[in-house]
Amino acid sequence: MAAPQFKNPVVRWIDYRLPVFTALHHEYNEYPMPKNCNYLWSFGAIAMVTLIIMIVSGITLAMSYTPSTTMAFQSVERIMRDVNSGWLIRYIHMNGASMFFIAVFIHIFRGLYFGSYKAPREILWMLGVVILLLMMATAFMGYVLPWGQMSFWGATVITNLFSAFPIIGDHIVTWLWGGFSVDNPTLNRFFALHYLLPFVLLGVVFLHVAAVHVHGSNNPVGIDIKGPQDSLPFHPYFTIKDTFGLSIFLLVFAGFVFFAPNYMGHPDNYIPANPMVTPAHIVPEWYFLPFYAILRAVPDKLGGVLAMFGAIAVLFILPWLDTSKVRSSNYRPIYRQFFWVLVIDCLVLGYAGGMPAEGIWLVVARVAAIYYFAHFLIILPLLGKLERPRPLPSSISEPVLKGGGHYPTAAAAKPMEKA
Amino acid sequence: MRAFKTLILAAALGLGLTGSALAAESAVPPEQEWHHSGIFGTFDKAALQRGFQVYKEVCSTCHAMSLVSYRNLQALGFSEDEVKAIAAQYQVPAAPNDAGEIVERPAIPADHFKSPFPNEQAARAANGGAYPPDLSLMAKAREHGEDYLYALLTGFEEPPEGVTVPDGMYYNKYFPGHLIGMPPILQDDSVTYADNTPATLAQSAHDVSTFLVWAAEPHLETRKQTGVKVILFLLVFAGMMYAVKRKVWADAHP
């Protein structure tokens, strides 16, 4: 790829010494995208924009927030009542966390459906799992900051999980708390880390983007770009497509912020934290519910904690658990069905996580948790060996030319495209 | 330490069922008509002023509203002078004088609503051990919000057969667990409205619930009005982006 000729002399001068403009041109202008990428491919860009919205609104909130057990709740209410547009910034940040998880969950399931984690994109996928972990840690600590009842008791329950580890458990918990209960030192360090982690997140996102640009984006057919007829330059084709996708996403986002700002929150967090009064029902934010269900499904505390972290760990080694060489589910008739069962399983886990851990819901959570692990540890490794994939098209433009093309002609199709 | 952890675990795992069992027991509050609900909802200022009167003359005997300031009352349609006069009815502690004594002074609009009790212990002592919660955020701090508040205020009734109500407690259809420390203080004609609206229990409960929504979410009107503009902008923007996208991609599908 030849360096582009820039007209502006200042740009040319800088680019000769530090080729940032050339880099931008390569990565965001002429960068070849598979031409068949659908709107599910917009969620990476959407998540990126949401992260920026979170960082900007978060820094603005931090200017008026006081991380102290006696002042935190009042300072948030001060933002809501007296800071100019404070209610808007706070509701954007509060709902933005949920919207970020919505975008990332769709992004992850898109990757699962189209096999975007397979060679040569394993590191890209693993960086994504690191991003998810960082997001979870950041969101958890952010939820503690308003110092409402759910903040306090959520922090107490989750930090207490670490006490499940033998011998060192209690020491870890004391160290996390900075004392002998969730208190002012805990709030202070959570604020410090909540401010720090998004920037670490941004760094990992940068690596994630760098990694995807090495071999290019996956696509709905799941085969590599064979030539210029299979791809389109990122700009203007995908910049405009992503912008349209983003504007629909922002419509939903604005709907929550302006018309149902507390819908995804819990009313108890408008009650100031009180260590002497336990809420009737401690529930985490909705995006943690599937993991919470797995935690509570295991009768043993340490087992539950390990299972919860295990639910993320299986994602980390997913590229080696899925033994099929075919990426896209469109050519894997059996995996495609298991994919949808997994989606339903995760929704069931989420619902069960919000219900009291007793009776039928405990049974449901246990079955769903076992199935979750079975999907990754048993079904995926076996399916790669047993399933007979449909013949793959010889190139991306072939099914595109034929408009959809789940059933390419046998003569043109090359069975088992090497991934 | 061990006991504490067991307690936490019990809280996390066990109390969930107690809470939901109680919640399942108490009736779901019926939805009421609210002037402020819906996409274009605005506050009914007359209802807000009446609701403030109910809070001031009835609720504030026991319940604080410490996050709201007298100056905020201008949003209810009171003039600056009226707000000054309302504030001046209350005596609040002044800053220490030159002799280091703390004397009382009349409140000014910048002061927060004066709390009826100096601390939680005093509030409990005066209310048979029950703590009347601060009402600043009450409309956002309970499931079903203002519908619940209205239901609670109008939900006192005779206990069903076999339920014994201890001394100092009252039976309420909508309160979780049904036994509430608050007496049915709001009744027909508990207040006399300045605008001659008949102060029935239903009317005053509806008015004070509206006032509590305003207290919890003073920027509700601005939020909804901004929201309508933002949504309209985004709809137009999305439409334009879709048109541009179609045009750009026109040559990409051979």
Side-chain angles (χ1 to χ4, degrees), chain B residues 159-190:
Chain B
E161 290 287 317
V163 175
T164 33
V165 179
D167 251 9
M169 301 288 266
Y170 304 87
Y171 189 88
N172 191 297
K173 193 177 166 190
Y174 297 100
F175 191 70
H178 296 305
L179 297 178
I180 185 169
M182 179 172 81
I185 187 97
L186 195 61
Q187 302 281 357
D188 287 337
D189 300 314
S190 286

Side-chain angles (χ1 to χ4, degrees), chain A residues 39 73 77 80-82 87 91 156 160 163 170 237-238 244 247 258-259 261-262 267 270-271 278 280 356 358, chain B residues 5 8 11 15-17 19-20 39 67 71 136-137 140-142 215 217 219 223 227 238 242 245 248-249 251:
Chain A
Y39 280 105
F73 191 88
E77 278 306 313
M80 291 297 289
R81 290 158 191 273
D82 292 333
W87 60 270
Y91 277 153
T156 304
N160 253 303
S163 70
D170 283 337
Y237 293 98
F238 287 90
F244 174 62
S247 50
F258 293 104
F259 301 108
N262 296 304
Y270 282 109
I271 304 170
T278 316
E358 42 131 17
Chain B
K5 265 190 315 203
I8 300 299
L15 278 175
L17 89 153
S20 69
I39 292 173
L67 294 173
R71 65 185 158 82
S136 311
L137 284 163
K140 290 203 288 191
R142 295 291 182 275
E217 187 84 4
H219 297 296
R223 167 161 65 76
Y242 185 66
K245 191 256 163 191
V248 167
W249 277 73
D251 63 340

Side-chain angles (χ1 to χ4, degrees), chain A residues 13 28 38 65 89 104 122 134 156 184 240 258 308 387:
Chain A
W13 188 89
Y28 286 104
N38 57 38
Y65 169 77
I89 302 163
V104 165
E122 299 96 324
L134 283 169
T156 304
N184 205 52
I240 188 63
F258 293 104
M308 186 174 69
E387 183 183 42

Side-chain angles (χ1 to χ4, degrees), chain B residues 124-206:
Chain B
R124 283 189 190 277
N127 287 284
Y131 178 50
D134 189 294
L135 296 181
S136 311
L137 284 163
M138 194 48 77
K140 290 203 288 191
R142 295 291 182 275
E143 296 280 356
H144 306 291
E146 56 269 42
D147 289 328
Y148 168 75
L149 298 178
Y150 176 84
L152 186 84
L153 288 170
T154 55
F156 288 94
E157 55 184 37
E158 287 301 311
E161 290 287 317
V163 175
T164 33
V165 179
D167 251 9
M169 301 288 266
Y170 304 87
Y171 189 88
N172 191 297
K173 193 177 166 190
Y174 297 100
F175 191 70
H178 296 305
L179 297 178
I180 185 169
M182 179 172 81
I185 187 97
L186 195 61
Q187 302 281 357
D188 287 337
D189 300 314
S190 286
V191 292
T192 308
Y193 282 138
D195 62 0
N196 292 327
T197 307
T200 59
L201 171 61
Q203 179 68 44
S204 46
H206 198 274

Side-chain angles (χ1 to χ4, degrees), chain A residues 395-410:
Chain A
S395 79
I396 290 172
S397 41
E398 187 194 340
V400 171
L401 284 172
K402 293 191 176 141
H406 283 187
Y407 303 97
T409 56

Side-chain angles (χ1 to χ4, degrees), chain B residues 34 47-48 50-56 58-59 65 135 139 146 149-150 153 186 193 201-215:
Chain B
W34 302 102
L48 282 183
R50 290 195 301 270
F52 170 62
Q53 190 186 343
V54 175
Y55 168 74
K56 185 168 161 257
V58 183
C59 317
M65 192 178 268
L135 296 181
E146 56 269 42
L149 298 178
Y150 176 84
L153 288 170
L186 195 61
Y193 282 138
L201 171 61
Q203 179 68 44
S204 46
H206 198 274
D207 290 341
V208 79
S209 301
T210 305
F211 172 71
L212 290 174
V213 170
W214 169 82

